[in-house]
């Protein structure tokens, strides 16, 4: 994974990199600060780069909604605020032209929990900033404006609500091999939370992760969502990432695949088999010369 990440950066020289959550495999179970720091150090080694890097919070980092606590969320948000998502709704503007919004999927259940209420408050504040950036009025005089008026791109770990991956488009090799019904708050956001985000933020594109499979999904309001496949061999044979090119009024994606795990294993096995005869020949020749030397001595 580390080498694939470095090669991707060197080949494409992106302006910014977003990791869509679950950076820490079992981070939600970590209790000791020292163990958490070990996770952070490992992640820093895997994703070592001078390119602007932002990491979205995922359920493996802080737990599903029922597992998420203020302590876990605070710990993640305060890890490295310049890199790790540091609030429930965080705005990142790139080159003063593109606005990305990172959202905490696990805090969007609208059930009155403290984290959910805080997320709702931050969402309304962000919506106010977006709207005030489009107009000049007395109500917006003290509101910090965005540098771009283009619609934002929403980034989050969970996909918005969909029944399953049955209606997904995109490359066949990225899609789920088995179609199963999605559970709200576990596999995707709820219908109500998804509707709220679409209506309030009106994003031009949504990019998500979580399912480990690729999907291009068209929501009822016409918004396209791209679910990015897992970047780990642990979750799929052909991990990948996407390259997103964005202008003020358009976007396009291209996919970057890492070597398939099965191919790498085949190469190792083939190399081992191919080198076996050479080893045997070399070993026998060495044994022959040692025998001859002893005979004449």
């Amino acid at each position: 994974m580390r080498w694939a990440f470095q090669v991707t950066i060197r080949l494409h020289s992106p302006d910014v990199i977003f990791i869509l959550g679950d950076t820490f495999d079992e981070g939600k179970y970590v209790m000791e600060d020292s163990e958490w720091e070990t996770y952070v150090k490992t992640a820093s080694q895997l994703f070592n780069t001078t390119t602007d890097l932002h990491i979205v919070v995922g359920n493996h980092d802080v737990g599903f909604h029922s597992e998420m606590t203020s302590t876990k969320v605070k710990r993640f948000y305060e890890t490295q605020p310049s890199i790790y998502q540091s609030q429930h709704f965080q705005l990142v503007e790139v080159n003063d032209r593109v606005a990305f919004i990172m959202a905490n999927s696990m805090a969007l259940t609208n059930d009155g929990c403290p984290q959910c209420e805080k997320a709702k408050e931050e969402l309304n504040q962000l919506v106010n900033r977006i709207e005030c950036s489009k107009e000049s009025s007395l109500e917006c005089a003290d509101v910090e404006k965005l540098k771009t008026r283009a619609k934002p791109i929403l980034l989050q770990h969970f996909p918005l609500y969909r029944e399953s991956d049955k209606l997904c488009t995109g490359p066949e090799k990225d899609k789920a091999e088995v179609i199963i019904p999605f559970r709200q708050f576990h596999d995707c956001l709820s219908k109500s939370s998804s509707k709220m985000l679409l209506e309030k933020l009106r994003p031009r594109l949504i990019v998500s992760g979580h399912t480990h499979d690729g999907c291009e999904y068209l929501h009822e309001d016409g918004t396209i969502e791209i679910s990015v496949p897992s970047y780990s061999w642990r979750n799929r044979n052909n991990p990948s990432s996407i390259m997103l090119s964005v202008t003020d009024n358009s976007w396009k994606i291209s996919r970057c695949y890492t070597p398939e795990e099965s191919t790498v294993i085949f190469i190792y096995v083939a190399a081992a088999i191919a080198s076996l005869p050479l080893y045997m020949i070399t070993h026998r020749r060495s044994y022959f010369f040692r025998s001859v030397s002893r005979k004449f001595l």
Side-chain angles (χ1 to χ4, degrees):
M1 183 187 295
R2 181 167 64 92
W3 287 112
F5 181 77
Q6 295 299 330
V7 169
T8 300
I9 293 174
R10 291 175 184 175
L11 287 176
H12 300 288
S13 301
D15 294 313
V16 63
I17 301 167
F18 290 96
I19 296 175
L20 298 172
D22 284 357
T23 306
F24 308 123
D25 184 35
E26 301 297 339
K28 61 184 179 180
Y29 297 123
V30 175
M31 302 299 292
E32 300 295 332
D33 290 343
S34 58
E35 186 178 1
W36 178 260
E37 289 301 321
T38 300
Y39 272 82
V40 173
K41 183 178 180 180
T42 300
S44 299
Q45 292 171 345
L46 283 173
F47 306 113
N48 181 28
T49 179
T50 56
T51 304
D52 194 14
L53 174 66
H54 297 279
I55 299 177
V56 178
V57 63
N59 60 285
H60 278 269
D61 304 315
V62 298
F64 285 103
H65 177 261
S66 59
E67 305 167 313
M68 183 178 62
T69 65
S70 298
T71 301
K72 292 178 182 178
V73 173
K74 185 173 183 290
R75 179 176 63 185
F76 185 92
Y77 285 175
E78 293 182 352
T79 297
Q80 292 178 19
S82 62
I83 296 178
Y84 290 82
Q85 183 175 342
S86 57
Q87 56 191 82
H88 296 313
F89 281 91
Q90 183 172 339
L91 176 71
V92 176
E93 289 191 275
V94 179
N95 296 335
D96 295 341
R97 296 182 59 188
V98 184
F100 292 93
I101 296 173
M102 301 190 294
N104 181 345
S105 303
M106 290 68 67
L108 298 177
T109 57
N110 291 323
D111 63 354
C113 77
Q115 296 296 330
C116 301
E117 291 302 303
K118 179 63 175 175
K120 189 181 298 184
E121 178 185 342
E122 290 182 8
L123 173 60
N124 290 332
Q125 291 174 351
L126 181 55
V127 170
N128 187 47
R129 282 188 63 190
I130 294 173
E131 294 303 316
C132 282
S133 300
K134 300 176 183 177
E135 59 183 54
S136 297
S137 63
L138 291 177
E139 293 81 2
C140 296
D142 297 327
V143 177
E144 183 182 1
K145 310 296 192 301
L146 275 67
K147 297 180 177 64
T148 176
R149 294 190 177 186
K151 288 184 176 181
I153 295 173
L154 177 61
L155 307 174
Q156 58 179 21
H157 185 60
F158 284 7
L160 295 191
Y161 175 80
R162 58 179 183 255
E163 292 184 355
S164 68
D165 277 350
K166 183 178 181 180
L167 299 180
C168 290
T169 59
E172 287 296 324
K173 64 180 180 178
D174 287 351
K175 294 181 182 178
E177 295 181 358
V178 180
I179 302 299
I180 58 174
F182 278 8
R183 296 163 291 174
Q184 297 181 60
F185 305 125
H186 191 277
D187 301 306
C188 62
L189 292 185
S190 66
K191 282 185 177 181
S192 60
S193 296
S194 300
K195 182 179 180 182
M196 176 186 68
L197 291 177
L198 288 170
E199 290 179 349
K200 284 182 173 289
L201 293 176
R202 287 176 287 179
R204 53 171 156 164
L205 174 68
I206 302 164
V207 186
S208 58
H210 185 58
T211 66
H212 299 166
D213 300 309
C215 175
E216 293 182 21
Y217 187 83
L218 183 65
H219 291 281
E220 291 182 356
D221 69 342
T223 305
I224 295 176
E225 177 172 359
I226 299 173
S227 292
V228 183
S230 174
Y231 197 62
S232 171
W233 276 343
R234 175 179 176 179
N235 298 320
R236 60 184 302 114
N237 184 48
N238 60 334
S240 64
S241 58
I242 66 168
M243 294 294 297
L244 177 64
S245 300
V246 188
T247 64
D248 293 337
N249 51 23
S250 66
W251 58 267
K252 65 178 181 178
I253 66 168
S254 56
R255 292 170 174 81
C256 304
Y257 294 93
T258 66
E260 294 185 358
E261 184 179 26
S262 56
T263 302
V264 173
I265 292 175
F266 174 80
I267 292 173
Y268 282 151
V269 172
I273 294 174
S275 62
L276 184 59
L278 179 61
Y279 170 78
M280 294 179 65
I281 293 172
T282 304
H283 183 72
R284 287 187 61 187
R285 184 175 299 173
S286 175
Y287 176 77
F288 171 76
F289 281 119
R290 286 201 303 271
S291 301
V292 171
S293 298
R294 290 192 187 118
K295 182 177 180 180
F296 282 99
L297 287 175

